[in-house]
Amino acid sequence: MRLELQGALPAMVETELLVVFAADQSASKEKDAKPELTLLTSDESVQQASSYILDSGEFKATLNEILLLHRPQGLRATRLLLVGLGKEAKLSVHDLRKAAGTAVRFAKPRGIRSLTIVPPDNFGSSQTFRAIAEGAIVADFDSDTYRTDRKDTSIASVSILVIEANRSDAEVGLREGIVVAESQNFARTLINEPSNRMTPTLLGQKALEMAEEFGLKCDVYGAAKLHELKMGAFWSVAQGSDEPPALIVMTYEPAEAPAEPVFGLVGKGITFDTGGISIKPADNMEKMKYDMAGGAAMIGAMRAIAQLKPKVKAICIVCATENMPSGKAQKPGDVQIAMSGKSIEVINTDAEGRLVLADGLFYARQLGATHLIDAATLTGAIAIALGQVNAGAFSNNDAVYESFAKALETSGEKFWRMPMEDEYRDQIQSSIADIRNTGLTRYGGATNAAMFLKEFVDETPWIHLDIASTAWLDADKSWIAKGPTGIAVRSIVEWVRSYGE
Ligand code: BES
Ligand code: ZN
Ligand code: ZN
């Protein structure tokens, strides 16, 4: 998809589809209250072309509601699409991101290959253009890669109209939006691949290719390195599989960056999670190809960081392996020694993500990381706690969490901070070893996993993202296709950038 700015009046644009936004000005909270519609562009000809339909009551401008007009009078566009943004008083760029995506996903199956978006009049900031670009690019992704009847419905070009006074801000926003959203889609492409086509080795190759393209340093190590580093926790998962593990290490070190902070981005890269000997039930097991979504998010984030070039250092570590049952697989009750020296009683081999991350986080610190963030499809429990709307965020440092919360305001991604007070530590106490890899009870499962990880970060400021609840969408939304969402890429990039602007 090509995105460009166009300095033209809406009425004059020749386009297959002109997209304008509308909102409801009424302050009434009553569900059936008559909306007071307002078109968010003051352009006379667009106002005239849509006045009849706006008066008809057919269209209420609720968020992502659409209405199509063919051959709109007085316009050069072939079609005019109204997209609702909901109540004007509550309007945010995050709604605009979705609404732009809704327009793109409306166009895709209808053979429309280019469209023109008219941003709302009072939204001239770089964030507006960034959000529209992100919404459009994210919406263009579909997960039907291997269907032989697949039709390429991708949109060739999206123009965003801009007035001269906003152009320089718009250019900044557009560039950021393109970089970040393409990186999010890059992560989604990796996640969408089935496990026979995205083994740890292949994930390592994809990381190497990306690093080469964008000028990052990247090493991919195999089992020998795990042994050399004494990564007993990571290896305990990898030992059960015939596919060799991959320890992916990428570094971004711009010359102008100060010695600190050094960000450690650590991702869970389980390319397939059967559960191991504590095997999962067959229902939904096919979904466990997305158990590397955290690792993919980190690779995607590095792709964006390499292009946006913040003045801070970052190290990315992805621990990639399958989790398989076999004659070589670890068994419940086994005791493993992590790289940090801590002993772990493996109660359940399906709690494997925390095992690989234990060594990944510790290694990041050893490589000099002063600030850690990890992303992992770590627990089913996070979806029980939060539903499929928010992902979980945990932190051992309030100030650092605040900076992450600030990044969320820009990214628009939904994370909910979860508790991890010391009282929870009892849940992972083991009799035979330092810690056990599951809680003593089923309660608070996502926090128990976070408490386990905390053992390996010590005092280093750290954020843990449990994305198991939102990394995969089971059904289409108007602005994003079902399948991998690429959650966390945008927030991680924004958080790292906020230290190196
Ligand atoms: N990969 C799973 C978590 C998961 C579940 C991700 C559903 C996406 C959707 C993880 O490795 C796992 O199996 N966790 C166990 C932990 C339990 C054994 C303590 C779980 O959540 O059941
Ligand atoms: Zn598991
Ligand atoms: Zn897993």
Side-chain angles (χ1 to χ4, degrees), residues 273 275 280 291 323 350-352:
D273 183 10
K280 288 181 180 294
D291 214 17
N323 184 25
D350 196 11
E352 84 298 339

Side-chain angles (χ1 to χ4, degrees), residues 268 270 273 275 280 288 290-291 323 348-354 377-381 437-439 445 467-469:
K268 169 176 174 181
I270 303 295
D273 183 10
K280 288 181 180 294
M288 282 302 113
Y290 86 82
D291 214 17
N323 184 25
N348 190 316
T349 65
D350 196 11
E352 84 298 339
R354 61 199 81 179
T377 46
L378 204 61
T379 69
N437 79 330
T438 62
I467 59 172
S469 52

Side-chain angles (χ1 to χ4, degrees), residues 265-435:
L265 278 51
V266 183
K268 169 176 174 181
I270 303 295
T271 58
F272 198 81
D273 183 10
T274 65
I277 296 296
S278 314
I279 198 159
K280 288 181 180 294
D283 267 5
N284 285 322
M285 204 207 269
E286 75 286 353
K287 292 255 192 67
M288 282 302 113
K289 68 173 189 178
Y290 86 82
D291 214 17
M292 36 62 81
M298 291 310 179
I299 298 172
M302 289 300 281
R303 184 184 181 280
I305 289 168
Q307 293 171 81
L308 297 175
K309 303 196 187 328
K311 296 188 186 68
V312 280
K313 296 181 182 173
I315 306 168
C316 168
I317 293 171
V318 178
C319 301
T321 173
E322 294 182 331
N323 184 25
M324 297 291 283
S326 78
K328 295 180 299 176
Q330 70 175 333
K331 299 170 289 294
D334 286 2
V335 172
Q336 311 292 0
I337 311 297
M339 185 182 177
S340 73
K342 279 206 171 135
S343 57
I344 303 166
E345 182 186 8
V346 177
I347 302 291
N348 190 316
T349 65
D350 196 11
E352 84 298 339
R354 61 199 81 179
L355 294 173
V356 306
L357 288 176
D359 286 343
L361 287 163
F362 188 81
Y363 187 42
R365 285 169 61 208
Q366 212 178 58
L367 293 179
T370 60
H371 290 63
L372 291 167
I373 188 162
D374 75 73
T377 46
L378 204 61
T379 69
I382 197 66
I384 304 293
L386 299 176
Q388 291 178 301
V389 174
N390 277 281
F394 299 77
S395 183
N396 60 353
N397 184 306
D398 289 344
V400 164
Y401 187 78
E402 276 310 307
S403 65
F404 183 71
K406 197 104 200 86
L408 295 179
E409 287 172 20
T410 303
S411 76
E413 292 185 321
K414 283 181 156 294
F415 284 91
W416 193 263
R417 189 171 182 184
M418 298 284 291
M420 52 178 324
E421 289 109 324
D422 291 342
E423 286 101 309
Y424 290 104
R425 172 64 173 72
D426 295 348
Q427 286 291 317
I428 56 165
Q429 186 54 52
S430 162
S431 309
I432 191 174
D434 295 331
I435 45 175

Side-chain angles (χ1 to χ4, degrees), residues 38-52 54:
T38 174
L39 212 55
L40 298 177
T41 170
S42 55
D43 184 86
E44 277 290 316
S45 3
V46 176
Q47 290 272 356
Q48 272 175 21
S50 36
S51 70
Y52 175 78
L54 288 183

Side-chain angles (χ1 to χ4, degrees), residues 24-46:
D24 176 6
Q25 285 181 310
S26 119
S28 167
K29 293 206 170 69
E30 300 282 316
K31 200 161 170 284
D32 297 326
K34 193 170 174 334
E36 293 163 29
L37 298 184
T38 174
L39 212 55
L40 298 177
T41 170
S42 55
D43 184 86
E44 277 290 316
S45 3
V46 176

